[in-house]
Protein backbone atom coordinates (compact mmCIF):
# COMPACT_ATOMS: atom_id res chain seq x y z
CA UNK A 1 0.00 0.00 0.00
CA UNK A 2 1.23 3.46 -0.82
CA UNK A 3 0.19 6.24 1.52
CA UNK A 4 1.68 9.26 3.14
CA UNK A 5 3.48 8.76 6.38
CA UNK A 6 4.47 11.62 8.61
CA UNK A 7 7.43 12.14 10.84
CA UNK A 8 6.70 9.38 13.34
CA UNK A 9 6.24 6.64 10.78
CA UNK A 10 9.26 7.78 8.80
CA UNK A 11 11.20 8.44 12.00
CA UNK A 12 11.58 12.05 10.88
CA UNK A 13 11.50 14.68 13.59
CA UNK A 14 10.39 18.15 12.49
CA UNK A 15 13.03 20.33 14.09
CA UNK A 16 10.93 23.45 14.49
CA UNK A 17 7.66 21.96 15.64
CA UNK A 18 9.07 19.07 17.57
CA UNK A 19 6.18 17.14 16.11
CA UNK A 20 5.71 13.50 15.27
CA UNK A 21 2.95 12.70 12.83
CA UNK A 22 1.03 9.49 12.26
CA UNK A 23 -0.38 8.06 9.04
CA UNK A 24 -3.11 9.50 6.85
CA UNK A 25 -3.64 7.00 4.07
CA UNK A 26 -4.39 7.90 0.45
CA UNK A 27 -5.49 5.62 -2.37
CA UNK A 28 -2.86 3.12 -3.56
CA UNK A 29 -0.64 4.62 -6.24
CA UNK A 30 -2.03 8.14 -5.74
CA UNK A 31 0.64 10.85 -5.90
CA UNK A 32 -0.14 13.62 -3.43
CA UNK A 33 1.79 16.39 -1.74
CA UNK A 34 2.29 15.96 2.01
CA UNK A 35 2.45 19.11 4.14
CA UNK A 36 3.93 18.98 7.64
CA UNK A 37 3.78 22.36 9.36
CA UNK A 38 3.57 23.21 13.06
CA UNK A 39 3.77 26.89 14.00
CA UNK A 40 5.34 27.78 17.35
CA UNK A 41 4.77 31.03 19.21
CA UNK A 42 8.32 30.95 20.62
CA UNK A 43 10.17 30.37 17.32
CA UNK A 44 11.95 33.15 15.42
CA UNK A 45 11.90 31.03 12.25
CA UNK A 46 8.81 29.05 11.23
CA UNK A 47 9.25 25.97 9.05
CA UNK A 48 7.17 23.93 6.60
CA UNK A 49 8.19 20.52 5.24
CA UNK A 50 6.86 19.37 1.85
CA UNK A 51 7.27 15.95 0.26
CA UNK A 52 5.37 13.56 -2.00
CA UNK A 53 3.51 10.45 -0.89
CA UNK A 54 5.51 7.25 -0.73
CA UNK A 55 6.31 5.54 -4.02
CA UNK A 56 7.74 2.22 -2.99
CA UNK A 57 10.64 3.25 -0.75
CA UNK A 58 11.11 6.74 -2.14
CA UNK A 59 9.56 9.99 -0.88
CA UNK A 60 10.45 12.88 -3.16
CA UNK A 61 10.72 16.52 -2.15
CA UNK A 62 8.67 19.39 -3.57
CA UNK A 63 11.05 22.15 -4.69
CA UNK A 64 10.02 25.46 -6.20
CA UNK A 65 6.73 25.83 -4.31
CA UNK A 66 5.18 29.10 -3.18
CA UNK A 67 4.55 28.87 0.57
CA UNK A 68 3.02 31.54 2.79
CA UNK A 69 1.01 31.96 5.98
CA UNK A 70 -1.60 34.70 6.31
CA UNK A 71 -3.03 36.32 9.43
CA UNK A 72 -6.72 35.91 8.60
CA UNK A 73 -7.84 38.92 10.63
CA UNK A 74 -5.30 41.48 9.42
CA UNK A 75 -4.36 40.04 6.02
CA UNK A 76 -0.64 40.20 6.92
CA UNK A 77 1.27 37.69 4.80
CA UNK A 78 4.44 35.87 5.82
CA UNK A 79 6.39 34.28 2.96
CA UNK A 80 8.59 31.20 3.31
CA UNK A 81 11.87 30.70 1.47
CA UNK A 82 13.05 27.33 0.20
CA UNK A 83 16.13 25.97 1.93
CA UNK A 84 17.54 25.01 5.27
CA UNK A 85 17.02 21.88 7.37
CA UNK A 86 13.71 21.25 9.12
CA UNK A 87 13.85 17.52 9.80
CA UNK A 88 16.24 14.81 10.91
CA UNK A 89 16.20 11.06 10.38
CA UNK A 90 16.21 8.89 13.48
CA UNK A 91 19.28 6.56 13.31
CA UNK A 92 17.13 3.71 14.59
CA UNK A 93 14.93 4.03 11.52
CA UNK A 94 17.90 4.04 9.15
CA UNK A 95 18.96 0.71 10.63
CA UNK A 96 15.53 -0.88 10.17
CA UNK A 97 14.32 0.53 6.83
CA UNK A 98 15.84 1.66 3.55
CA UNK A 99 13.36 4.43 2.72
CA UNK A 100 14.91 7.23 0.66
CA UNK A 101 13.39 10.46 1.96
CA UNK A 102 14.09 13.84 0.33
CA UNK A 103 11.77 16.39 1.83
CA UNK A 104 11.96 20.08 0.92
CA UNK A 105 12.08 22.68 3.70
CA UNK A 106 10.59 26.16 3.57
CA UNK A 107 11.47 28.67 6.29
CA UNK A 108 10.83 32.26 7.27
CA UNK A 109 13.87 34.53 7.86
CA UNK A 110 14.84 34.86 11.56
CA UNK A 111 14.71 38.63 11.06
CA UNK A 112 10.91 38.37 11.14
CA UNK A 113 11.11 37.55 14.85
CA UNK A 114 8.40 35.75 16.83
CA UNK A 115 5.38 36.64 14.67
CA UNK A 116 3.11 33.70 15.58
CA UNK A 117 0.73 35.14 18.19
CA UNK A 118 -1.40 33.11 20.64
CA UNK A 119 -5.13 33.25 19.92
CA UNK A 120 -4.65 34.18 16.25
CA UNK A 121 -6.16 32.41 13.23
CA UNK A 122 -3.65 31.71 10.44
CA UNK A 123 -4.09 30.23 6.97
CA UNK A 124 -1.36 28.26 5.20
CA UNK A 125 -1.19 28.54 1.40
CA UNK A 126 0.95 26.27 -0.78
CA UNK A 127 1.21 26.21 -4.57
CA UNK A 128 3.60 23.88 -6.39
CA UNK A 129 5.18 24.46 -9.84
CA UNK A 130 2.78 21.77 -11.16
CA UNK A 131 -0.20 23.93 -10.11
CA UNK A 132 -1.21 21.87 -7.08
CA UNK A 133 -2.76 24.01 -4.34
CA UNK A 134 -3.17 23.27 -0.65
CA UNK A 135 -4.60 25.27 2.24
CA UNK A 136 -4.97 24.78 5.96
CA UNK A 137 -6.05 26.83 8.96
CA UNK A 138 -4.96 26.81 12.59
CA UNK A 139 -6.10 28.86 15.55
CA UNK A 140 -3.11 29.18 17.85
CA UNK A 141 -3.97 28.33 21.49
CA UNK A 142 -4.17 31.24 23.91
CA UNK A 143 -1.57 32.54 26.34
CA UNK A 144 -0.98 30.55 29.52
CA UNK A 145 1.55 30.74 32.35
CA UNK A 146 2.95 28.61 35.16
CA UNK A 147 0.94 28.46 38.39
CA UNK A 148 3.19 26.13 40.34
CA UNK A 149 5.85 25.75 41.53
CA UNK A 150 7.01 29.17 42.65
CA UNK A 151 9.39 30.78 41.86
CA UNK A 152 9.19 29.25 38.38
CA UNK A 153 10.27 30.29 35.82
CA UNK A 154 11.70 33.75 35.08
CA UNK A 155 14.06 33.14 32.17
CA UNK A 156 16.53 30.56 30.91
CA UNK A 157 18.43 30.56 34.20
CA UNK A 158 17.79 28.00 36.94
CA UNK A 159 14.40 28.79 38.42
CA UNK A 160 14.30 26.68 41.57
CA UNK A 161 15.86 23.69 43.33
CA UNK A 162 14.23 20.36 44.13
CA UNK A 163 15.39 17.99 46.89
CA UNK A 164 16.39 14.48 45.71
CA UNK A 165 13.77 11.72 45.52
CA UNK A 166 10.93 14.23 45.60
CA UNK A 167 7.89 14.31 43.31
CA UNK A 168 6.81 17.74 42.12
CA UNK A 169 3.35 18.74 40.81
CA UNK A 170 3.55 21.10 37.83
CA UNK A 171 0.55 23.31 37.17
CA UNK A 172 -0.32 26.06 34.72
CA UNK A 173 -3.24 28.27 33.78
CA UNK A 174 -5.72 27.24 31.10
CA UNK A 175 -4.86 28.03 27.46
CA UNK A 176 -8.01 28.92 25.57
CA UNK A 177 -8.54 26.69 22.54
CA UNK A 178 -5.97 24.06 23.52
CA UNK A 179 -6.91 20.46 22.78
CA UNK A 180 -4.11 19.04 24.89
CA UNK A 181 -0.82 19.94 26.57
CA UNK A 182 2.33 18.12 25.50
CA UNK A 183 5.08 18.11 28.14
CA UNK A 184 8.73 17.33 27.47
CA UNK A 185 11.32 16.71 30.16
CA UNK A 186 15.07 16.75 29.52
CA UNK A 187 17.22 15.26 32.31
CA UNK A 188 20.95 16.05 32.17
CA UNK A 189 23.72 14.43 34.25
CA UNK A 190 21.82 11.20 34.83
CA UNK A 191 24.66 8.77 34.06
CA UNK A 192 26.94 9.95 36.88
CA UNK A 193 24.00 10.44 39.26
CA UNK A 194 22.74 6.84 38.90
CA UNK A 195 26.15 5.13 38.65
CA UNK A 196 26.39 4.63 42.45
CA UNK A 197 23.16 2.59 42.23
CA UNK A 198 24.64 0.37 39.52
CA UNK A 199 22.20 1.70 36.91
CA UNK A 200 23.59 2.24 33.41
CA UNK A 201 21.80 5.40 32.28
CA UNK A 202 22.33 7.81 29.39
CA UNK A 203 23.83 11.14 30.39
CA UNK A 204 20.83 12.92 28.87
CA UNK A 205 17.33 11.43 28.94
CA UNK A 206 14.21 12.92 27.35
CA UNK A 207 10.73 11.91 28.48
CA UNK A 208 7.24 12.91 27.33
CA UNK A 209 4.10 13.57 29.33
CA UNK A 210 0.58 14.54 28.35
CA UNK A 211 -2.43 16.38 29.70
CA UNK A 212 -5.31 15.37 27.45
CA UNK A 213 -7.72 18.33 27.45
CA UNK A 214 -7.86 22.12 27.75
CA UNK A 215 -8.98 21.84 31.38
CA UNK A 216 -6.28 19.29 32.35
CA UNK A 217 -3.60 21.68 33.59
CA UNK A 218 -1.45 19.60 35.95
CA UNK A 219 1.15 16.88 35.61
CA UNK A 220 3.23 15.12 38.26
CA UNK A 221 7.00 15.16 37.85
CA UNK A 222 8.45 12.57 37.31
CA UNK A 223 5.63 10.02 37.75
CA UNK A 224 3.53 11.09 34.76
CA UNK A 225 6.46 11.43 32.37
CA UNK A 226 7.74 8.55 30.24
CA UNK A 227 4.40 6.83 29.56
CA UNK A 228 5.05 6.93 25.80
CA UNK A 229 8.77 6.19 26.15
CA UNK A 230 8.67 3.07 28.32
CA UNK A 231 9.28 0.62 25.45
CA UNK A 232 12.32 2.54 24.18
CA UNK A 233 14.14 3.18 27.48
CA UNK A 234 15.86 0.76 29.85
CA UNK A 235 13.30 -0.13 32.53
CA UNK A 236 15.95 0.03 35.27
CA UNK A 237 16.41 3.72 34.49
CA UNK A 238 12.68 4.47 34.66
CA UNK A 239 12.32 2.54 37.92
CA UNK A 240 15.28 4.42 39.44
CA UNK A 241 13.62 7.81 38.89
CA UNK A 242 10.00 6.78 39.45
CA UNK A 243 9.74 8.45 42.84
CA UNK A 244 12.08 11.38 42.18
CA UNK A 245 15.50 12.26 40.87
CA UNK A 246 18.99 11.65 42.25
CA UNK A 247 21.04 14.69 43.27
CA UNK A 248 23.16 16.64 40.80
CA UNK A 249 20.87 16.38 37.79
CA UNK A 250 19.39 19.33 35.90
CA UNK A 251 15.88 19.36 34.49
CA UNK A 252 14.50 21.36 31.56
CA UNK A 253 10.72 21.31 31.29
CA UNK A 254 8.61 22.43 28.32
CA UNK A 255 4.81 22.36 28.33
CA UNK A 256 3.15 23.23 25.01
CA UNK A 257 -0.53 23.97 24.48
CA UNK A 258 -1.51 22.21 21.25
CA UNK A 259 -4.29 23.07 18.82
CA UNK A 260 -6.81 20.60 17.39
CA UNK A 261 -4.87 20.01 14.17
CA UNK A 262 -1.69 19.08 16.02
CA UNK A 263 -3.57 16.64 18.26
CA UNK A 264 -5.29 15.02 15.27
CA UNK A 265 -1.89 14.71 13.58
CA UNK A 266 0.07 13.06 16.38
CA UNK A 267 -2.52 10.84 18.02
CA UNK A 268 -2.10 7.13 17.69
CA UNK A 269 -1.29 4.08 19.76
CA UNK A 270 -2.27 4.79 23.35
CA UNK A 271 -2.86 8.51 22.69
CA UNK A 272 -6.32 8.96 21.17
CA UNK A 273 -8.07 11.70 23.17
CA UNK A 274 -10.89 12.10 20.64
CA UNK A 275 -10.98 8.73 18.91
CA UNK A 276 -8.68 6.71 16.67
CA UNK A 277 -9.49 8.41 13.35
CA UNK A 278 -6.53 10.39 12.01
CA UNK A 279 -7.55 13.61 10.30
CA UNK A 280 -5.70 15.63 7.69
CA UNK A 281 -5.94 19.39 8.30
CA UNK A 282 -4.79 20.17 4.76
CA UNK A 283 -7.37 20.75 2.01
CA UNK A 284 -6.86 20.73 -1.76
CA UNK A 285 -4.32 18.66 -3.67
CA UNK A 286 -2.50 17.33 -0.62
CA UNK A 287 -2.74 15.91 2.88
CA UNK A 288 -0.95 16.54 6.14
CA UNK A 289 -1.08 18.83 9.12
CA UNK A 290 -1.05 22.56 9.76
CA UNK A 291 -1.02 22.91 13.52
CA UNK A 292 0.28 25.20 16.25
CA UNK A 293 1.91 25.10 19.67
CA UNK A 294 2.33 27.64 22.46
CA UNK A 295 5.18 26.51 24.77
CA UNK A 296 6.26 27.63 28.23
CA UNK A 297 9.57 26.55 29.78
CA UNK A 298 11.25 26.15 33.13
CA UNK A 299 14.51 24.87 34.64
CA UNK A 300 15.04 22.92 37.86
CA UNK A 301 18.16 21.70 39.64
CA UNK A 302 18.02 18.65 41.90
CA UNK A 303 20.31 19.27 44.86
CA UNK A 304 20.86 17.93 48.34
CA UNK A 305 20.19 20.75 50.80
CA UNK A 306 18.20 22.72 48.21
CA UNK A 307 18.03 26.42 49.10
CA UNK A 308 15.86 28.04 46.42
CA UNK A 309 13.09 25.52 46.91
CA UNK A 310 10.42 24.86 44.28
CA UNK A 311 7.42 25.91 46.34
CA UNK A 312 4.14 24.24 45.36
CA UNK A 313 1.12 26.56 45.23
CA UNK A 314 -1.97 24.81 46.52
Amino acid sequence: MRGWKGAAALALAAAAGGCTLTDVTVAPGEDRVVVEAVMRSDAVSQQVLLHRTLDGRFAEGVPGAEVSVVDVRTGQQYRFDEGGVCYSIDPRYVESDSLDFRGTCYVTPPTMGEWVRPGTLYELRVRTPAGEEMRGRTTVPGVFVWRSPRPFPSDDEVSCELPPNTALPLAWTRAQGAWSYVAQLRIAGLRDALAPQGVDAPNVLELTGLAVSEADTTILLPTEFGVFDRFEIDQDVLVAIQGGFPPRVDLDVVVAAADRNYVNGVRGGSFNPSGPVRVSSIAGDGVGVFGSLVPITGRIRVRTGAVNLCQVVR
Side-chain angles (χ1 to χ4, degrees), residues 189-206:
L190 200 57
R191 179 184 294 121
D192 290 343
L194 289 180
Q197 302 179 33
V199 177
D200 184 15
N203 192 50
V204 176
L205 178 65
E206 295 186 354

Side-chain angles (χ1 to χ4, degrees), residues 20 43 150 172 247 281:
T20 53
R150 296 290 188 189
W172 52 89
S281 51

Side-chain angles (χ1 to χ4, degrees), residues 283-297:
D285 300 314
V287 293
V289 63
F290 179 48
S292 54
L293 297 171
V294 176
I296 55 176
T297 63

Side-chain angles (χ1 to χ4, degrees), residues 2-4 25-33 52-54 285 287:
R2 292 181 177 88
W4 80 265
T25 303
V26 298
E30 186 175 354
D31 181 24
R32 302 283 296 278
V33 176
R52 313 296 308 193
T53 49
L54 296 182
D285 300 314
V287 293

Side-chain angles (χ1 to χ4, degrees), residues 66-72 75 77 80 123-127 133-137 290:
E66 298 175 6
V67 179
S68 64
V69 168
V70 177
D71 183 325
V72 173
Q77 187 175 53
F80 289 64
E123 181 175 86
L124 172 69
R125 300 173 182 175
V126 178
R127 181 180 176 86
E133 294 187 357
M134 288 131 286
R135 294 200 175 196
R137 285 191 169 194
F290 179 48

Side-chain angles (χ1 to χ4, degrees), residues 155-166:
D155 48 36
D156 288 336
E157 299 302 318
V158 172
S159 302
C160 60
E161 294 182 344
L162 182 68
N165 303 312
T166 303

